[in-house]
Amino acid sequence: MVTAAQPVTYPLSVRHLGPNWYATVMGTAVVATAGSALPAHVPGLRGVLAGVWALSLALLLALFAGRAAHWSRHRDQARVHLLDPATAPFYGCLAMALLAVGGGALTVGRDWIGIRAAVALDVVLFTAGTVLGLAAAVAVPYLMAVRHRVEPGQATPVWLLPLVAPMVSAAVGPSLVPHLPSGQARGTLLLGCFALFGLSLLATLVMLPLVFARLLTGGPLPLALTPTLVLVLGPLGQSTTAVGAFADVAPGVVSPPYSEGFGVLAVLYGVPVMGFALLWFCLAAVHVLRARRHGMRFSMTWWSFTFPVGTCVTGAEALGRHTGLVAYTGPAVVLYAVLVAAWGTAVAGTVRGLLRGELLAAPGPAPSAPRPATARTTSGAVR
């Protein structure tokens, strides 16, 4: 029997390898893609970013192998994950990991593998990620409704994950438009991405009030779950990135006045949404600082500090392109520095936890939230 002081054996590690680990792929890929659009040109930066993208691809392949072993050897545990309301939403991370790596292939990966291979890889990953994202957006809410028996007091930002996956498709899909034959193919992909944008946006607008209400009426989240508050930035930054991408490729793909309309949408939608993102960033930051003062330790939820912040970087970059204002390009650079620091911290904590055998060990008891007079229930633990 393996004890906490002994190295974790491979079968035990695979048994507790959950879908939340795909967040490491997402967080790594966004460092590469967000850095490629920075207004500041640093010599050698593109080569570094291509290397980071290659690391995200390697992580994706490694997790594919690990998760395949998990499903083949430990189907009972896989079923437990699907029926656990704290874990099932992370199945959206698989789709987003595929999409993030595929989008990065066209953005910076092409410097290493060539444009033809990058397009082919992106087509495969975009198609698979979109299909899986749509499946997660339907299946996870269905399970929550008929099998999970969740209560309003259990709402956390993790519930947003399967709903955000189609928005990632909407944001990365337009980069494939110029590589399709002109005419019907390009227009179909662009408007298809716009439909995915609407699907994800409206679903998020339905779910987000539950998360906000739980935070205000149920007290602070458990310490281990506090970093997940940053997940709310994901649909905000990613939707702003998406409308900016629509405006980039719309001319020549859809006829006027719709092509100009996408440019108008990029600004009229993106500016207020990024304003709300700033508000939520500050709210999440003070909650995280409070949790650190109360003893919050590293867990896999710290990867929440990476991909959502990265989407705000790309959203600010999109607004900078379409407004020409330094008021957006400047914050994009600052946010990117925050992203890199968060990614480095998450990588260090993950490596340390793996070496100690903590992150892939059997999960401990669910954390309990503080019990003020207004508190109701707490969410399950997320490793």
Side-chain angles (χ1 to χ4, degrees):
M1 180 177 178
V2 178
T3 64
Q6 295 174 327
V8 178
T9 61
Y10 180 70
L12 180 61
S13 298
V14 171
R15 179 170 179 79
H16 299 291
L17 182 69
N20 57 321
W21 278 79
Y22 285 110
T24 63
V25 179
M26 298 160 53
T28 302
V30 79
V31 171
T33 54
S36 66
L38 289 175
H41 298 284
V42 179
L45 177 61
R46 252 197 103 77
V48 173
L49 296 178
V52 173
W53 171 81
L55 175 61
S56 71
L57 177 60
L59 286 172
L60 179 63
L61 295 175
L63 282 172
F64 270 159
R67 289 289 294 165
H70 172 84
W71 274 92
S72 64
R73 301 179 185 185
H74 306 289
R75 297 197 179 194
D76 61 322
Q77 186 67 20
R79 181 176 175 80
V80 168
H81 286 166
L82 279 173
L83 298 181
D84 181 1
T87 305
F90 284 100
Y91 275 92
C93 290
L94 167 58
M96 290 187 280
L98 294 169
L99 294 164
V101 174
L106 268 185
T107 306
V108 293
R110 63 183 183 180
D111 294 351
W112 280 21
I113 64 176
I115 186 64
R116 294 185 63 181
V119 171
L121 180 60
D122 192 16
V123 167
V124 172
L125 295 182
F126 173 77
T127 302
T130 300
V131 171
L132 289 173
L134 289 172
V138 174
V140 174
Y142 174 79
L143 288 173
M144 293 174 70
V146 303
R147 298 297 299 273
H148 291 168
R149 299 295 189 269
V150 295
E151 299 179 5
Q154 293 177 294
T156 74
V158 172
W159 289 7
L160 294 170
L161 288 173
L163 306 178
V164 178
M167 187 66 79
V168 181
S169 293
V172 303
S175 63
L176 283 171
V177 169
H179 301 282
L180 295 178
S182 59
Q184 289 285 325
R186 292 185 180 184
T188 299
L189 179 57
L190 175 58
L191 293 184
C193 289
F194 194 31
L196 292 170
F197 165 85
L199 180 159
S200 181
L201 177 64
L202 295 177
T204 299
L205 291 177
V206 171
M207 188 70 74
L208 187 56
L210 298 177
V211 177
F212 200 16
R214 183 261 177 265
L215 188 64
L216 295 181
T217 62
L221 293 177
L223 296 182
L225 289 172
T226 302
T228 64
L229 288 172
V230 183
L231 292 176
V232 175
L233 297 177
L236 304 176
Q238 197 68 277
S239 61
T240 304
T241 303
V243 293
F246 300 155
D248 291 339
V249 302
V253 176
V254 294
S255 59
Y258 303 110
S259 57
E260 290 85 353
F262 277 115
V264 173
L265 179 66
V267 177
L268 294 187
Y269 173 87
V271 170
V273 168
M274 288 301 287
F276 180 69
L278 176 61
L279 168 66
W280 194 271
F281 182 90
C282 295
L283 178 64
V286 294
H287 272 270
V288 169
L289 291 175
R290 174 194 172 277
R292 285 292 287 169
R293 289 197 306 270
H294 285 75
M296 181 182 72
R297 298 177 57 193
F298 178 81
S299 67
M300 288 299 291
T301 58
W302 283 40
W303 281 94
S304 302
F305 298 138
T306 57
F307 190 78
V309 174
T311 67
C312 290
V313 175
T314 56
E317 290 168 344
L319 284 175
R321 289 196 309 273
H322 291 285
T323 64
L325 297 177
V326 178
Y328 291 106
T329 56
V333 175
V334 174
L335 282 173
Y336 187 73
V338 173
L339 169 62
V340 171
W343 178 74
T345 301
V347 168
T350 302
V351 172
R352 185 168 56 248
L354 286 173
L355 293 177
R356 293 176 179 175
E358 297 171 349
L359 295 181
L360 291 176
S368 297
R371 289 184 173 271
T374 57
R376 295 188 298 243
T377 61
T378 62
S379 304
V382 179
R383 283 195 59 79

